[in-house]
Amino acid sequence: MKVGLVIVSHSARLAEGVAELAAQMAPDVIVLPAGGMATGGLGTDYEAVSNALDRAESGAGVVLLYDLGSARMTAELAVESLGDPSRAYVVDAPLVEGAVAAAVAAQGDATLDGVAEAAAGAAREAFADAAETGAAETDSASAGAGDQEAGPVHTLQVTLTNEVGLHARPAALLARTLTGLTAEASVEVGDQRADARSVLGLMGLNARFGDQVVVTATGPDAEEALRRVKALVDRNFDE
Amino acid sequence: MGCSVEGVVAALRSAAEVVTAHRDELVELDRVIGDADHGENLKRGFTALVSKLDLSEPPATPSAALKLAATTLISTVGGAAGPLYGTALLRAATSVGDAAELDAAGVAAALRAALDGVVARGKAEPGDKTMVDALTPAVAAAEAAAASGSTVAEVLSAAADAADEGAASTVPLVARKGRASYLGERSANHLDPGSRSTALLLRSFAESAGGGDR
Ligand SMILES: Nc1ncnc2c1ncn2[C@@H]1O[C@H](COP(=O)(O)OP(=O)(O)OP(=O)(O)O)[C@@H](O)[C@H]1O
Ligand SMILES: [Mg+2]
């Protein structure tokens, strides 16, 4: 039982191509294209998306990715009309990278949250790459994941011992190391604070070699989140 | 003097005629700052709605008629206008509940619910150069008219007047939502197609209500 994927696009050929590419790395995952109009033209077809959503559900939930505009709205409508709308997420992610990342996560038996997070993580990576070349300014991606209960707050204090501090690559690694976890985590340096999953937010902290960093996490797997962050810092971000 | 289910069905049929008559105009507007399909999308959706009204049992309540319109547009329009107008109509259907007749206040409340639906679905704000720029002032005008004791036809006609102005106000704007936003500054100096269709739809409702029950 693996999470299924639906690729919602204005173009039948685009949806098929993305599904083909994603499925190549995930032979046991149901990846269904829902592209174009029933009449053959460009556009989004609610019935096609709804049908694909039903067929992609094998009990573990479904992640939907979209190309633009009405594809997102149509996907959201299809999810809202499910008996249990919490069984599917519409994820804001770059279509190709997001689909491949989600398919690989699903193949590895990730949960619905985990697959959604993997797709959204592809967006953060794309943004980090763009930030590195000085081009990006955008909101951090949302996984569409539901709220989790807060629980106790766990904290970790570490000193950055890698040469460049929380620059683009280390920031992306830090955000990515939390993939698959549901814990809320933030990073504080001095009086500045950033979401640990926001690559741009982390870079904005300007944390350098030798800086003291406080990582805070809440949620069911908060301790695991801190353990992963500590391991990454201890490894000097693999520099 | 309210609006019964027959009145709502008549308004939807009149909307279908207006959308069909303005198909080319809406396509042209969308050609300049979009993908040239807005008029065709709406014509397809409303034509499907009319054939459902012709072929199946007539809806029993205003809410059922609005819901039929919503689901038909959602499944046949194919562009952003489908989920947006579809969600608007779904919210309007919920707002009118099981009332057999809509009074002026009920119509204004349904329009408010419709606007909330469009905003929830598309996340646009006033000034983003979308249908929200026509619908927002239309709802305010409808509410003001209802509060001052107007009839259903007067409420709709106040809404249509305000929507016309709201649509015109999109001309200088730079689009921040929808396809036109990809054009950036080049989207300025053009009328937003969705705001125009919103004004046309409200005008068709107003005319249908005025003709039927004054
Ligand atoms: N996010 C949005 N919120 C509100 N209105 C929107 C939004 N996106 C588009 N619109 C409205 O929809 C109109 C375009 O409708 P149309 O049916 O042509 O969809 P489209 O943009 O071609 O759809 P698609 O998203 O599939 O490309 C725009 O003129 C604008 O008024
Ligand atoms: Mg269009």
Side-chain angles (χ1 to χ4, degrees):
Chain A
M1 210 171 60
K2 295 182 191 296
V3 172
L5 297 184
V6 174
I7 310 300
V8 185
S9 167
H10 282 68
S11 152
R13 282 190 289 168
L14 179 57
E16 280 160 21
V18 172
E20 182 187 18
L21 197 58
Q24 185 193 21
M25 300 190 63
D28 306 317
V29 176
I30 304 177
V31 187
L32 296 178
M37 305 269 288
T39 49
L42 294 174
T44 50
D45 183 340
Y46 174 80
E47 309 294 342
V49 175
S50 261
N51 286 338
L53 183 51
D54 281 346
R55 285 185 294 128
E57 171 66 279
S58 61
V62 179
V63 165
L64 298 90
L65 293 126
Y66 58 88
D67 59 3
L68 40 89
S70 65
R72 173 191 205 148
M73 300 189 234
T74 301
E76 287 173 352
L77 267 169
V79 169
E80 285 164 24
S81 63
L82 285 178
D84 179 2
S86 69
R87 301 304 302 149
Y89 290 150
V90 180
V91 177
D92 182 11
L95 186 58
V96 176
E97 291 94 330
V100 171
V104 170
Q107 177 71 28
D109 289 323
T111 61
L112 180 56
D113 278 4
V115 174
E117 180 58 33
R124 285 194 287 271
E125 264 178 72
F127 296 154
D129 290 348
E132 226 156 348
T133 58
E137 181 165 332
T138 180
D139 301 338
S140 76
S142 79
D147 292 340
Q148 55 255 333
E149 63 269 41
V153 179
H154 297 267
T155 56
L156 161 77
Q157 214 178 52
V158 285
T159 304
L160 295 179
T161 50
N162 64 318
E163 205 171 320
V164 299
L166 280 183
H167 196 51
R169 199 190 64 93
L173 286 176
L174 199 160
R176 206 184 313 160
T177 195
L178 301 175
T179 299
L181 300 182
T182 58
E184 301 266 359
S186 63
V187 176
E188 269 175 78
V189 181
D191 56 0
Q192 301 255 73
R193 187 190 188 95
D195 181 342
R197 288 188 173 83
S198 163
V199 177
L200 295 182
L202 291 173
M203 288 168 62
L205 294 173
N206 263 324
R208 306 272 154 96
F209 172 84
D211 281 350
Q212 283 263 336
V213 171
V214 179
V215 189
T216 317
T218 56
D221 43 21
E223 284 170 297
E224 170 63 11
L226 294 188
R227 199 194 57 70
R228 290 191 192 177
V229 173
K230 178 155 192 331
L232 187 65
V233 173
D234 288 348
R235 295 203 308 272
N236 274 335
F237 294 87
D238 304 321
E239 266 170 23
Chain B
M1 107 169 177
C3 176
S4 61
V5 62
E6 288 78 19
V8 175
V9 168
L12 293 170
R13 287 184 181 276
S14 118
E17 276 172 31
V18 167
V19 159
T20 305
H22 290 264
R23 179 224 173 253
D24 292 354
E25 176 197 341
L26 293 170
V27 163
E28 269 322 303
L29 290 174
D30 197 28
R31 187 185 310 288
V32 190
I33 56 169
D35 54 354
D37 62 2
H38 189 55
E40 182 59 30
N41 288 346
L42 288 182
K43 183 182 166 199
R44 178 168 52 242
F46 277 93
T47 304
L49 174 59
V50 168
S51 35
K52 280 199 197 167
L53 288 170
D54 288 342
L55 295 176
S56 47
E57 283 277 288
T61 58
S63 174
L66 294 170
K67 206 162 186 176
L68 178 71
T71 52
T72 308
L73 294 188
I74 287 168
S75 52
T76 54
V77 166
L84 290 167
Y85 285 138
T87 306
L89 288 159
L90 274 184
R91 297 282 184 100
T94 307
S95 155
V96 306
D98 51 15
E101 289 247 320
L102 306 182
D103 60 7
V107 168
L111 288 174
R112 166 67 61 187
L115 170 61
D116 290 348
V118 170
V119 170
R121 183 66 59 212
K123 316 271 185 310
E125 292 172 7
D128 285 350
K129 199 182 183 98
T130 69
M131 56 176 69
V132 169
D133 293 320
L135 199 48
T136 303
V139 171
E143 287 173 340
S148 67
S150 300
T151 63
V152 166
E154 287 161 355
V155 164
L156 287 169
S157 125
D161 290 346
D164 279 334
E165 274 182 46
S169 79
T170 65
V171 171
L173 298 175
V174 171
R176 285 193 295 251
K177 278 282 184 297
R179 258 175 206 263
S181 63
Y182 295 103
L183 294 176
E185 300 287 330
R186 280 185 292 144
S187 66
N189 300 319
H190 301 289
L191 182 64
D192 171 61
S195 70
R196 173 68 178 144
S197 65
T198 293
L200 286 169
L201 290 171
L202 288 170
R203 181 67 64 198
S204 76
F205 296 162
E207 278 169 6
S208 171
D213 100 2
R214 224 186 299 233

